[in-house]
Amino acid sequence: MSAISASLVKELRERTGLGMMECKKALVESNGDIELAIDNLRKDSGLKAAKKADRTAADGVVSVKVADDGSYGVLVEVNSETDFVARDENFLGFVAKVVDKAFADKVTDVAALMAGGLEDARSALVQKIGENIGVRRIVLVEAPAGCVGSYVHSNNRIAVITQLKGGNVELAKDVSMHIAAVNPQVVNTSEVSADVVEKEKDIIKAQPDMAGKPAEIVEKMMVGRINKFLKEISLTEQAFVKNPELTVGKLAKDAGAEIVAFTRFEVGEGIEKAEVDFAAEVAAQVQASKG
């Protein structure tokens, strides 16, 4: 056979994370067939899961676990590349292990959580399923003077964990369900930053119905619209989804509780997922096979 090119060795190294000599040996044994070389390396258990790390994992699931007494809970997001894998039993089994360990150890640092057995399990799953899989984020919520409750939407893509002062777990669950549905930005209007308010004022001033009006009229309209905006994004001011006659704040107050904080995870939020041109990708693979 012809000599194995340096570029082929380089490609195999980039795709596997293995050493130069090991890659060259694998290519020699496969007669220069890089895919066969990868298959052979897999059989030898030498292939590292890092070969998938350059592919965006923006799908997946969110999961929650809360102590029976409501004293604390954890909220976790684990990503896959596709919704198909996010429903896979092996993937969901891995997610359960991640949540259980985060809950038992009260760990929020992903690297610390994954060190050891969980990283080995992740690597094995990547090789078995063929997609990049990663634990993205973990939140731990404790309630020393109240309770924690949670809600996970039926598609496992949105989950919320809420901390109350006073109240009970069922109330915290109801509030969490509301947050999942309505997506407030803060608990109370007082938490909205001055920068957010100023930005909203600029938007209001730019509206066509503001043009040509006296400054005092503009200011009066501005106050009304800003107040409306603050109520719309503040949890305690929102109409409760299960009973619109009550605000969420009134719901909590009537139950002798105060909403302290909440965290809402939605799968893939904030991840920039590359748009793939499949025709171009296939063409590139064909071209590479000719090289």
Side-chain angles (χ1 to χ4, degrees):
M1 60 162 287
S2 58
I4 302 299
S5 68
S7 61
L8 197 59
V9 174
K10 181 175 181 291
E11 181 183 348
L12 185 56
R13 288 190 68 191
E14 289 175 347
R15 292 180 62 180
T16 64
L18 299 177
M20 182 179 69
M21 296 308 297
E22 191 171 1
C23 288
K24 185 173 182 179
K25 179 183 177 184
L27 286 166
V28 168
E29 291 174 350
S30 68
N31 201 31
D33 185 332
I34 194 167
E35 298 301 332
L36 178 58
I38 289 173
D39 287 343
N40 290 338
L41 288 167
R42 280 180 175 166
K43 291 174 185 176
D44 294 336
S45 300
L47 183 57
K48 295 182 180 178
K51 74 184 188 70
K52 304 292 184 184
D54 62 334
R55 296 191 345 205
T56 303
D59 218 295
V61 298
V62 285
S63 186
V64 179
K65 186 167 185 178
V66 174
D68 291 339
D69 62 359
S71 59
Y72 79 101
V74 293
L75 173 57
V76 178
E77 178 180 358
V78 183
N79 296 131
S80 60
E81 292 180 47
T82 64
D83 179 58
F84 178 78
V85 165
R87 299 192 301 269
D88 178 83
E89 288 184 4
N90 296 295
F91 175 78
L92 294 175
F94 171 71
V95 173
K97 290 178 182 177
V98 170
V99 174
D100 285 347
K101 185 167 176 56
F103 179 83
D105 297 351
K106 293 187 175 182
V107 176
T108 58
D109 182 87
V110 173
L113 177 75
M114 297 301 293
L118 277 182
E119 178 56 29
D120 292 341
R122 187 197 71 85
S123 298
L125 189 58
V126 167
Q127 292 190 33
K128 180 176 182 179
I129 290 179
E131 283 194 10
N132 189 19
I133 292 167
V135 179
R136 183 184 181 198
R137 49 184 173 163
I138 309 164
V139 165
L140 167 68
V141 178
E142 298 181 277
C147 64
V148 170
S150 66
Y151 172 81
V152 181
H153 195 55
S154 57
N155 61 5
N156 293 323
R157 295 184 62 84
I158 298 174
V160 178
I161 190 165
T162 301
Q163 178 191 356
L164 300 181
K165 181 179 179 181
N168 54 58
V169 171
E170 287 305 312
L171 174 63
K173 286 180 180 178
D174 274 348
V175 173
S176 295
M177 182 199 65
H178 172 94
I179 294 165
V182 182
N183 194 16
Q185 303 304 299
V186 294
V187 174
N188 302 298
T189 57
S190 60
E191 296 176 10
V192 182
S193 71
D195 288 345
V196 170
V197 173
E198 287 305 314
K199 183 178 179 181
E200 188 64 21
K201 284 182 177 179
D202 289 341
I203 292 171
I204 293 171
K205 287 177 183 176
Q207 299 305 304
D209 63 344
M210 290 291 189
K213 287 186 171 59
E216 61 273 17
I217 299 297
V218 169
E219 185 60 29
K220 188 174 181 180
M221 292 174 68
M222 180 85 69
V223 170
R225 293 186 187 182
I226 285 294
N227 286 338
K228 181 183 178 184
F229 165 74
L230 291 174
K231 288 183 177 181
E232 286 174 346
I233 67 171
S234 302
L235 172 61
T236 54
E237 300 292 333
Q238 294 174 342
F240 179 45
V241 289
K242 290 173 71 173
N243 181 5
E245 299 298 316
L246 281 177
T247 64
V248 177
K250 182 71 162 53
L251 173 75
K253 185 176 180 182
D254 288 350
E258 177 186 344
I259 302 168
V260 178
F262 67 86
T263 301
R264 183 184 188 272
F265 278 2
E266 186 164 353
V267 169
E269 60 189 347
I271 298 176
E272 189 172 336
K273 191 170 184 177
E275 295 296 325
V276 178
D277 184 337
F278 288 104
E281 188 177 82
V282 170
Q285 290 177 352
V286 171
Q287 187 62 37
S289 68
K290 295 178 179 177

